[in-house]
Amino acid sequence: MDRIMLKEKAKEQIRGKIWDLFLITLIVSLITGAVNGILTLLPGIGTVGALVITAPLSISVFKIYLDLVNENKTPVVADAFYGYSDFGSSVLVVVITALFTFLWSLLLVIPGIVKAISYSQAYYIIAENKGMPAIDAINRSKAMMHGHKMDYFVLQLSFIGWGLLGAVTCGIAFIWIAPYMNATYANFYNTVKASYNAGNVA
C-alpha cells in the first residue's frame, strides 16, 4: 500500500474544491450539532433518535468523497442529503457497526480498534451500492480489509501531525486538512476494493 501515492492523489483531487467541501462539511456539522443538541435532551430515545436522523448525513459525506476522487465531481448542497435516499441502509450500517465495535471493546480496547478498522469500509460500500443490506456491506468490508488492517492503521497514524496542526490553528487548518484526509481515505477504499475484486475474479 503506497500511502504517499494515496495522499498525493488526494491533494490533486481536492485542488480548487476546498471551499465547496468546506460548505458541505459546515452544513452537515450544523445539522448534526443541532439534532444532537435537541434530541439528546430527551430521556430514553434522545441519543438513539439523534443517531438515526444524522446517520444518513455521514453516508452522504462518504458518497461525496467517492464522487470527488472517482469522477472529479464538485459537491453541491443537495449532495449533503444523499444518504436520506437510502435511509434504511444508511442508518443500519452506522448503528450496527457502532454496536459491534462497542461490544468488541467490552472485551479489551485492542479488539475494539481492530474491529472498527475491519468495518471501516462499510460506509463507502453503502454509499456506492444503494439498497445493499447493511450486514452485507459490513461483511464485505471485513473481507476487503483482510490483510489491509495494518495499512489502514498506519495511514491513520500518518495524519497525527496534521491533526496537531489543526489543533494549534484553532481548527482553521482543518478547512484544508479534513478534505485532504477524507480524499485520501476514499483513495484507500478504491485501492482495497480493486484488490478484493481482483482476488475474487482470480
Side-chain angles (χ1 to χ4, degrees):
M1 182 72 65
D2 190 339
R3 294 189 304 280
I4 295 176
M5 181 192 71
L6 297 180
K7 291 182 172 184
E8 288 302 317
K9 286 176 64 176
K11 290 177 185 177
E12 182 63 31
Q13 290 157 343
I14 65 175
R15 184 170 297 146
K17 299 180 174 67
I18 293 298
W19 292 108
D20 300 285
L21 294 166
F22 172 67
L23 176 61
I24 295 295
T25 301
L26 182 63
I27 291 170
V28 169
S29 298
L30 289 175
I31 295 174
T32 300
V35 170
N36 286 334
I38 294 170
L39 291 188
T40 52
L41 296 176
L42 300 177
I45 64 169
T47 301
V48 175
L51 180 61
V52 168
I53 293 174
T54 60
L57 294 172
S58 300
I59 300 303
S60 297
V61 174
F62 287 100
K63 174 64 171 172
I64 285 167
Y65 279 94
L66 282 177
D67 288 345
L68 172 70
V69 302
N70 292 331
E71 303 172 17
N72 195 32
K73 180 183 175 182
T74 299
V76 296
V77 172
D79 294 334
F81 305 98
Y82 167 84
Y84 292 101
S85 68
D86 192 18
F87 184 79
S89 294
S90 296
V91 170
L92 286 176
V93 75
V94 173
V95 171
I96 293 173
T97 53
L99 177 61
F100 284 0
T101 302
F102 170 73
L103 292 176
W104 278 101
S105 298
L106 292 178
L107 298 176
L108 282 173
V109 174
I110 298 301
I113 294 174
V114 171
K115 288 300 179 180
I117 292 173
S118 184
Y119 305 146
S120 62
Q121 307 307 297
Y123 312 114
Y124 292 105
I125 295 168
I126 286 294
E128 198 171 42
N129 299 275
K130 183 180 287 188
M132 174 180 283
I135 197 67
D136 289 352
I138 292 169
N139 287 334
R140 184 179 297 184
S141 176
K142 289 162 60 178
M144 286 172 57
M145 291 300 284
H146 181 71
H148 295 290
K149 287 188 281 293
M150 183 55 70
D151 292 327
Y152 188 79
F153 181 66
V154 173
L155 180 60
Q156 289 182 307
L157 290 179
S158 72
F159 285 115
I160 289 178
W162 288 107
L164 293 174
L165 176 62
V168 300
T169 59
C170 299
I172 295 174
F174 280 115
I175 293 174
W176 184 85
I177 294 170
Y180 171 45
M181 292 175 62
N182 286 328
T184 301
Y185 288 132
N187 287 324
F188 176 90
Y189 167 74
N190 282 337
T191 301
V192 294
K193 182 181 71 171
S195 176
Y196 171 76
N197 289 341
N200 281 345
V201 170

